[in-house]
Amino acid sequence: MFKGKLNVIVLTLVFMVIFTFLPGFKAEAADRVHTVISGETVESIADTYDISAEQLMKSNGLPDDKLFVGQKLTIILTDYTPSIYQWSERGKQVANYAKSFIGFKKTAGEEKPEKGFDSSGLIHWVLSQQNVPVDRLTVDGFYKQGMDTATPKTGDIIFFLEKDSLKVVTAGIYVGENQFVNSGYGAETVQVRSTTEDYFAKYQVAYKTYTPKGEHIVQAGETLNSISEHYSISMSTIKSRNALRTDELMKGQYLQLYSNPLYPFYVNQEAAYDKAYDVIKYAYTLRGFTYVFGGEDPMIGMDCSGFIYWVMKEQGLSVKRDSAADYFSLVPKIENPKAGDLVFFRDTGTRLGVTHVGIYLGDGRFLNTTENTGVHISNLSSGYFAEKFESFGQVESLID
């Protein structure tokens, strides 16, 4: 009996030594979640768990090496294996990054980790940090802007609507199996919630996607030929679907692979001029490219009028390089715009007068580029643009 007790004591001491002096073993036995503390870096955390910094970043969807105190990082020791299709990979990165903010406080009107998030602020932060070009919207705005999907995937946005009025009550980032990351609705922190909770069961559920299927983001070193071979789609087909006039690509371009437009706001609209659809298709490929005041080249950056000039020039249309105010002065003002016409706004930022212009798509949407988001699709019904709207302009008169 004494021998049995002695064995138990010895085993206990062994385990105490292991957990005290072998942190690697302790990490192996942990739940694989690391909470970031002040002073830690991606490299230091990766070293602690004997994994690469790249592995840590990819498995948590980290867009860069910036960390936030309190961020929860999942530690996966097996090699990170990316999804075959890039849109699935992007959705997974969105969801993983959203989960890293579990426990961050709910703060009304906020959208950054340092101050906290409301539900729409969390969605905006996560999407924008994952290079999804989108305005800062309310949950209702995100609902109107997103693409409907009947087959939600990880990284899509889940919305809860009142069953009678269909008013959007709250939203979160879907992580699969009825679960989603949400900031604050019925709680004071960012949490993983479930649609099966009584709290959410009374609402109607809808899903929207901001990382749609059939879209490829050009990576460094890729060519039209390599993308064609990867997806088994001919180069000529990819060029046609994206209105590419040459084989040259730019890193970061969004290429549509499916035959049906991913953002079909213009499809049932009458074209403003012969090449309007091609201008729109090509402009879609530039979503996310940087804003630079006075710029007119995607690789350097473009302002709103420089964006108009570039996409039309690249489609073989002779258009003068002017400012938004100049374009406004040159075009007839119209009330019923067609796809490809221009939409003007005044008093944006700190400037006065007509200061902003975009390409109208139809259904209240337009393409534009702004300082914070770069090239992206916006909605005329959003509070900011509804307040700043000036008029539509018939673009045909600009084309020589």
Side-chain angles (χ1 to χ4, degrees):
M1 184 172 178
F2 175 77
K3 185 177 181 181
K5 288 184 177 180
L6 181 62
N7 288 338
V8 170
I9 293 171
V10 170
L11 286 173
T12 301
L13 289 172
V14 168
F15 277 105
M16 287 175 66
V17 169
I18 287 173
F19 277 91
T20 303
F21 297 106
L22 297 179
F25 187 92
K26 185 175 182 180
E28 186 74 26
D31 60 4
R32 303 274 188 246
V33 175
H34 179 95
T35 302
V36 177
I37 62 175
S38 180
E40 286 189 311
T41 65
V42 167
E43 289 76 14
S44 68
I45 296 171
D47 287 343
T48 298
Y49 295 96
D50 195 25
I51 59 176
S52 69
E54 181 183 25
Q55 168 87 352
L56 182 67
M57 292 179 68
K58 285 187 174 179
S59 58
N60 289 278
L62 301 179
D64 51 42
D65 59 5
K66 184 176 182 180
L67 298 177
F68 301 92
V69 173
Q71 205 169 1
K72 292 176 173 56
L73 303 181
T74 303
I75 307 301
I76 299 176
L77 301 183
T78 55
D79 287 340
Y80 180 84
T81 304
S83 304
I84 295 174
Y85 297 108
Q86 195 172 17
W87 51 82
S88 177
E89 180 70 11
R90 289 168 61 205
K92 186 166 67 172
Q93 297 291 310
V94 167
N96 288 344
Y97 189 56
K99 287 189 289 186
S100 77
F101 293 106
I102 291 170
F104 278 59
K105 64 181 179 180
K106 169 190 175 181
T107 308
E110 292 295 343
E111 59 189 55
K112 292 184 178 180
E114 296 90 343
K115 294 185 177 180
F117 308 97
D118 61 14
S119 55
S120 58
L122 175 67
I123 292 170
H124 178 260
W125 174 264
V126 171
L127 290 181
S128 63
Q129 295 300 302
Q130 292 299 319
N131 296 319
V132 179
V134 65
D135 286 319
R136 169 61 163 106
L137 304 168
T138 62
V139 288
D140 184 61
F142 281 116
Y143 180 77
K144 292 177 180 177
Q145 189 76 329
M147 297 294 296
D148 292 325
T149 178
T151 55
K153 67 181 186 307
T154 300
D156 287 340
I157 310 301
I158 183 172
F159 294 88
F160 295 88
L161 295 80
E162 292 181 350
K163 291 184 178 179
D164 293 331
S165 66
L166 297 183
K167 177 185 176 182
V168 180
V169 176
T170 190
I173 297 171
Y174 188 61
V175 297
E177 298 181 347
N178 297 320
Q179 293 188 321
F180 59 97
V181 181
N182 174 262
S183 179
Y185 196 68
E188 294 305 316
T189 60
V190 176
Q191 297 184 5
V192 174
R193 310 293 295 272
S194 174
T195 58
T196 60
E197 294 178 29
D198 291 342
Y199 198 88
F200 295 100
K202 60 186 176 182
Y203 297 112
Q204 180 174 319
V205 174
Y207 297 90
K208 304 276 186 170
T209 184
Y210 282 84
T211 58
K213 293 181 179 181
E215 191 170 57
H216 178 88
I217 305 176
V218 178
Q219 306 298 308
E222 286 187 320
T223 64
L224 188 61
N225 183 59
S226 68
I227 295 169
S228 168
E229 290 179 349
H230 180 76
Y231 291 102
S232 299
I233 301 174
S234 71
M235 291 171 60
S236 61
T237 298
I238 295 175
K239 289 173 71 173
S240 174
R241 289 175 181 170
N242 295 277
L244 302 176
R245 300 183 76 211
T246 71
D247 292 354
E248 294 183 7
L249 299 176
M250 292 178 282
K251 179 185 175 182
Q253 271 186 293
Y254 286 79
L255 298 183
Q256 177 170 309
L257 304 176
Y258 286 179
S259 57
N260 294 327
L262 294 173
Y263 294 91
F265 305 125
Y266 65 90
V267 171
N268 296 319
Q269 305 289 318
E270 185 179 352
Y273 52 96
D274 287 346
K275 285 199 168 185
Y277 282 179
D278 283 344
V279 166
I280 290 169
K281 287 183 196 177
Y282 178 69
Y284 275 7
T285 75
L286 302 178
R287 298 192 335 273
F289 276 68
T290 307
Y291 176 96
V292 170
F293 182 75
E296 57 188 53
D297 182 338
M299 298 307 293
I300 299 172
M302 302 173 287
D303 64 12
C304 60
S305 54
F307 170 60
I308 305 290
Y309 169 74
W310 174 270
V311 295
M312 289 190 171
K313 176 176 70 74
E314 288 299 297
Q315 291 305 312
L317 300 172
S318 179
V319 176
K320 293 179 181 179
R321 172 61 169 107
D322 277 323
S323 66
D326 290 331
Y327 285 148
F328 179 75
S329 69
L330 293 172
V331 299
K333 311 310 178 285
I334 54 177
E335 293 186 1
N336 298 305
K338 300 174 183 177
D341 278 326
L342 299 183
V343 55
F344 294 95
F345 303 87
R346 68 166 45 251
D347 302 340
T348 58
T350 59
R351 295 175 295 151
L352 300 178
V354 173
T355 52
H356 190 61
V357 60
I359 301 172
Y360 188 68
L361 303 174
D363 196 28
R365 271 79 168 192
F366 62 97
L367 274 160
N368 66 139
T369 181
T370 59
E371 186 172 352
N372 292 331
T373 311
V375 178
H376 64 289
I377 299 170
S378 294
N379 199 318
L380 284 170
S381 67
S382 72
Y384 180 81
F385 286 114
E387 177 185 349
K388 301 294 184 178
F389 173 77
E390 174 66 24
S391 73
F392 297 107
Q394 190 174 51
V395 75
E396 202 167 17
S397 58
L398 287 180
I399 303 170
D400 292 339

